[in-house]
Amino acid sequence: MSDTPLSAIQRRGLLALLTHPTIRKAAQSIGVHERTVRRWLENPNFRSALDAMLHAHEQQRLNERRPRTAPLVDALQNLSASQRAAACARLLRHL
């Protein structure tokens, strides 16, 4: 793997990929062609940086949810197995 640092536009591309629903829209938002972003995704350094950002973003989302879900987890632990299964099924429909 190359240790070449990412360019400023590639770093902007990382953020764009996190904030836009498609590669095309991410590319448009930073003024590059979609093929350029797709090539960047083949670069191990870029891919590694994106994976790290995605992991950090997911951890942040989980941490934000934790205070809201803790009371639900406590309540579920106090139910019988059959009640817990039914309650989990209902909760999953709302996630």
Side-chain angles (χ1 to χ4, degrees):
M1 174 161 62
S2 171
D3 289 331
T4 306
L6 299 179
S7 67
I9 191 72
Q10 286 176 316
R11 290 190 303 271
R12 287 180 48 214
L14 291 170
L15 293 173
L17 286 168
L18 289 176
T19 58
H20 290 84
T22 65
I23 293 173
R24 175 175 286 154
K25 289 184 184 206
Q28 289 171 344
S29 77
I30 61 169
V32 299
H33 197 278
E34 177 182 356
R35 283 187 302 248
T36 300
V37 176
R38 290 189 184 280
R39 271 196 310 274
W40 291 344
L41 288 167
E42 295 173 9
N43 174 318
N45 286 345
F46 186 88
R47 192 64 199 200
S48 177
L50 179 61
D51 290 345
M53 289 180 77
L54 288 169
H55 178 74
H57 180 70
E58 185 60 29
Q59 286 300 314
Q60 179 182 357
R61 290 183 65 212
L62 288 172
N63 289 338
E64 289 169 354
R65 284 185 178 178
R66 195 164 282 127
R68 294 181 301 190
T69 58
L72 295 172
V73 171
D74 292 341
L76 285 172
Q77 288 176 337
N78 293 325
L79 298 176
S80 69
S82 61
Q83 290 172 317
R84 191 174 314 133
C88 285
R90 285 192 303 274
L91 285 172
L92 288 174
R93 286 189 291 242
H94 297 286
L95 293 179

